[in-house]
Amino acid sequence: MLDILLPLASACVAVTPASPRALAAEELCAAVRAKGTACETAESVPAGVARARALAEGGMVCAVGSLYMAGAVRGCFGLH
């Protein structure tokens, strides 16, 4: 998936969702950086959404992950 998505990204923000099966944000960031794209971590989904929006400077933000992650992102916008 990184090979498909990263050419479209100028930067990434990784979070570790509250799931025992989640990939650690630091591990995802390392994989993203190894492919040449800037990446930083955030402590929570809301913090990650806020940081991604700030980095986008009014541009597009794309959130990817599990359905659990999608629900958490939707919650940041009051969508449940």
Side-chain angles (χ1 to χ4, degrees):
M1 292 304 301
L2 292 179
D3 290 335
I4 294 168
L5 295 172
L6 290 180
L8 305 172
S10 57
C12 294
V13 179
V15 300
T16 306
S19 169
R21 298 183 333 185
L23 178 68
E26 295 79 10
E27 190 175 341
L28 178 56
C29 255
V32 169
R33 289 180 186 133
K35 293 189 174 288
T37 300
C39 187
E40 58 187 76
T41 61
E43 293 185 16
S44 66
V45 171
V49 168
R51 183 63 183 139
R53 292 180 77 192
L55 287 170
E57 299 177 342
M60 185 183 300
V61 173
C62 178
V64 297
S66 66
L67 290 176
Y68 177 85
M69 179 78 155
V73 171
R74 287 176 53 87
C76 294
F77 296 97
L79 305 170
H80 300 280

